[in-house]
Structure formats: C-alpha cells, structure tokens
Amino acid sequence: MAWLLRETFEPQQLTASSIFDSSEPNQAVIEVGPRTNFSTAFSTNATSICTFVGLDKVTRLEPSRRYLLTSTRPLTGEEKAAFAAMVHDRMTEEVYAGPLPTFKVAAVPAPVFQVAVMEKGRAALEAINEEMGLAFDDWDLDYYTKLFQDMGRDPTNVELFDIAQSNSEHSRHWFFKGDLVIDGDKKPHNLMQIVTEPLNARPSNNSVVAFKDNSSAIRGFEVKPMLPLNPGGPSALGPQKRDWDLLLTAETHNFPCAVAPYPGAETGAGGRMRDTHATGTGSIMGAGTAGYCVGNLLLDGQTLPHEDPNFVYPDNLAPPTQILIDA
C-alpha cells in the first residue's frame, strides 16, 4: 500500500502520521475532504488499482486536504468555520472534526416505496410532489399519472425522483418550445422559433451544424496545422493540409456556480469541452471564455450608486464577490 501511495520521485513525502503539529495554542489544523456518505470517482479508480495489484481488502480510498493555521491568538470556532468555508465545496465535501477512523456513517438509506397512483390517481402524485419537492407542474402531473396508469402499475419514489431530474428544464429545455405568453398575450413565436429565425432566414448561408448536435458549426477554411505525421504512435509533427470548420458552443451553470462557484465553474467548463468534442466526428479545443452576471458587490470603499447595502443574500448561495473570485 505504501508503494502504491508513495510519490515516485519524492518517496520521503509519504509519512505514517501528519507532519502538522497543532499542539501550540495559537495553531489549528483544518481538514476537509469528500463527504463520508459518498464515494468519489477518485476512490473508484484508486480501489480498482488496489484490486488489480492484489489489495482486495481496500474498499475506499479518498484524498483530503489539511491546513495548518498559525495566528497571534487562539482562533474561535467561528473563525475556523469561516476559513473552512473558503477551502471546500459544501456540495460534495465536508469538514472533518478530526482524523477519520472510518468512512462508515450512521445514516441509513431511505426506503424504496410505491406511490399509489393506481388507487388514488393524480392525488397520489400531488402529495409526493409536495413531499419530495419534485417540481412537477400540472402538465407533468397529468402526464405521469396517465403514463403509469397505462402501464398498469404504481411508480416508486426512486423512479419519480429520477424522472424529475431527467425530464427537468435543465435537461430537456421544455420551455424553449412552450407557448410564450406575456401579460396574457400569447406571442406568435416560442423561444426556439425566435432563436432559429436567423438561420431560417438564410438557410444556405455558412451554417454547417445547427440545432441538431451538441454544438453549432459554421463553414471554415483550409488550414495547415502541426499534426503527427504518424497518428497512433510516437511521431514527429509536421504541417498538414486540413479543411476545418469553426465550432461554437455555450453552457449555462447558474445554480452550481451560485452554490459552489469554483466547482460549478469546473463542471461548466467540462460541459463546454464535452459538447464541442461530441459534435460531428469530434473537434479540437481552441479557447473558452466565461462571463458572470451578479448582484451587489459592495467592495470596501467602492460601493456603487445602484447597489443596495441592505440586501441580504440567502445563506445557501455564495455572495457575488466570491462568485467572481472563485469561478
């Protein structure tokens, strides 16, 4: 196990105990890491490697981060909590009160149960929708009631939770094709028709891929990039003729960035890369930009006229300054 964890060129960096000595009254150790009730992708890969080399007793392996804080006086609990809040993602990580002796938690998985749609109809879905916060609207409630009645069985709470995520606006963008009603006046075009109007006006322009893949592409030109002369193996690079198109994509990550700015921005960037690479037969990542629209910054000594100093942001959301700094 030590051989597996030891750094190749600095093996002495692996020690059996922490190198931090927090015995001094003006020192404190803050440790943060993955939530104990959720195994990470890192652990999945690490335990697979352990199993492959014969360490089949290892069932979970996680990295944590430890910070040694030195101050002119003992830190208060509130000060330690404030520092910990800055260095961990509260969505996927937690603060460890001390070295973890085990990953076992007292929490018991919630039971799987059936929702009595066959007996109570839509009323059963309305009750579980309120209880679990599934955000089903009237159309959803009618649709899923009929769906399971036609199937002749009751759904489980797990199925309904999965449906709420899979068919959410975030995943499906239902609203883009919904009727657009402003102040009681139904507009002639929905959002999707408005977005596609420029392309429909000039369909034979330079569009190559539009509204039918993970990203859009416009006609490019012949280029001579430096590419491997022998793809698939060690090779020198050389200029080669290619006819490449230009690809563009956009990704919105409002809620993740509001809750945990840096990890939210990470997944947003990953989404942009995924979408471009999954378009057509693939792509090469060129550049990316990010923009954020936030509320009152209230910077020290630089309060702007339009900012409201009395506005209080919810505790479960990051303040605007943290979003701009971290994300």
Side-chain angles (χ1 to χ4, degrees), residues 170 251-259 263-269 271 274 292:
H170 176 80
E251 177 88 1
T252 58
H253 256 244
N254 302 331
F255 183 71
C257 283
V259 175
E266 280 186 309
T267 55
R274 173 206 61 218
Y292 298 91

Side-chain angles (χ1 to χ4, degrees), residues 208-251:
V208 178
V209 177
F211 306 109
K212 58 182 179 182
D213 211 326
N214 285 282
S215 303
S216 294
I218 58 176
R219 187 69 184 95
F221 37 79
E222 287 191 357
V223 293
K224 268 193 172 183
M226 297 290 288
L227 297 173
L229 298 177
N230 180 30
S235 171
L237 297 176
Q240 300 184 49
K241 280 188 177 183
R242 291 291 186 273
D243 189 345
W244 283 353
D245 295 324
L246 301 175
L247 185 148
L248 303 169
T249 194
E251 177 88 1

